[in-house]
Amino acid sequence: MSLNGKVAIVTGSGRGLGLAYAAELARQGASVVVNDVDEQTAASAVASIEAEGGKAVAVVAAVGSSETAKALVDAAVEHFGRLDILVTNAGVLRDTVLWKMSDDDFDTVIGVHLRGTFTCVREAAVRLREQGEGGRIICIGSPTGQRGNFGQTNYAAAKAGIVGMVRTWALELKRAGITANAVIPVAATAMTATVPYFAAAVEADAKGEPMPAFFRHDLGFGTSDDVAGLIAYLASDAAAGVTGQALGVGGDRLQLWSHPEPVVTAYREGGWTYDALAADFDTEFGADLQSVGETFPALPDELQRPAASA
């Protein structure tokens, strides 16, 4: 097992993707600190890992505060003697369009995703640097943070910010041998279960059947377990040379997202005045303006399902 003797924290790991990450890390030999806001959910996650022969303990707390971050790191050290891996997965959603989004909707999502990632990584970095043996930071992003999504101002801001922080941490932590990467997962979750477009895939998964190839290959959409292998790889010694990257994974697809780079560059002596822009902007940039959001291909006829009635 590639992670024998390692100790990992996975935030938001009571169920879903987080539990898949924690379970795979344990299968690879790591001892795992499980985290959830619900005590019963956390206990069930620990029990499922132990039933497979793994080692796990739970910290029941909401991610966001420095106190929770400290409690997570303290639990790793108290129960398993050290810390090697942190996976920041905890999150919440408060979806609504911009003009209906309240301050609380925005602050709650930013507090858990963005601030929670910051506080946990900061606390872990302090411990990993003290140990002096390197480490692995793996932060969970989203396609929404990469391309935007209708009704998700707060979530898009948080997930884009996480990738920005990861690039910075890769620079700051390199000398200590600590890698920092972002994973952009695409998988069947409670959220996608209600979307008619994914109904055939969710239906197959619920029956324990393989998802149709259209979803797994063309869309890169699969199960939580399809994402977990990348988490374990990035946590391992084999990935020591991988840092500052955003890696997408889902179904049969693995992607390396680019860092933002200029698409077109134009120069004008004396600078770009309003009049110059009005005259020349479309000529210089119009054909290369970037798309926003994700566009899915049409579903094959055999995979279409009727939308649920209200």
Side-chain angles (χ1 to χ4, degrees), residues 126-209:
V126 170
R127 176 65 194 185
L128 293 172
R129 292 179 75 249
E130 287 175 351
Q131 289 177 178
E133 300 173 32
R136 302 286 180 267
I137 304 295
I138 304 164
C139 301
I140 305 303
S142 168
T144 295
Q146 303 295 99
R147 298 191 58 85
N149 192 32
F150 189 94
Q152 291 195 310
T153 293
N154 44 13
Y155 186 67
K159 290 303 191 181
I162 285 170
V163 176
M165 292 193 300
V166 160
R167 294 187 182 117
T168 298
W169 296 333
L171 297 171
E172 294 178 345
L173 298 172
K174 182 178 181 180
R175 187 173 180 180
I178 302 167
T179 65
N181 291 287
V183 170
I184 316 298
V186 181
T189 63
M191 183 172 64
T192 54
T194 63
V195 180
Y197 185 88
F198 298 108
V202 173
E203 178 184 294
D205 189 41
K207 293 178 180 178
E209 300 172 354

Side-chain angles (χ1 to χ4, degrees), residues 219-304:
L219 290 181
F221 180 88
T223 67
S224 297
D225 288 340
D226 290 321
V227 181
L230 177 59
I231 301 296
Y233 169 72
L234 291 174
S236 73
D237 292 342
V242 182
T243 192
Q245 304 304 303
L247 294 154
V249 62
D252 298 331
R253 187 178 71 187
L254 180 66
Q255 296 177 310
L256 178 65
W257 284 85
S258 68
H259 299 323
E261 295 285 352
V263 176
V264 178
T265 301
Y267 299 93
R268 185 180 183 88
E269 187 175 351
W272 287 92
T273 64
Y274 170 83
D275 289 340
L277 288 164
D280 296 336
F281 186 89
D282 284 347
T283 301
E284 296 287 355
F285 297 107
D288 296 290
L289 294 178
Q290 302 296 284
S291 64
V292 294
E294 290 191 275
T295 302
F296 296 127
L299 279 170
D301 290 343
E302 68 274 13
L303 298 180
Q304 293 190 21

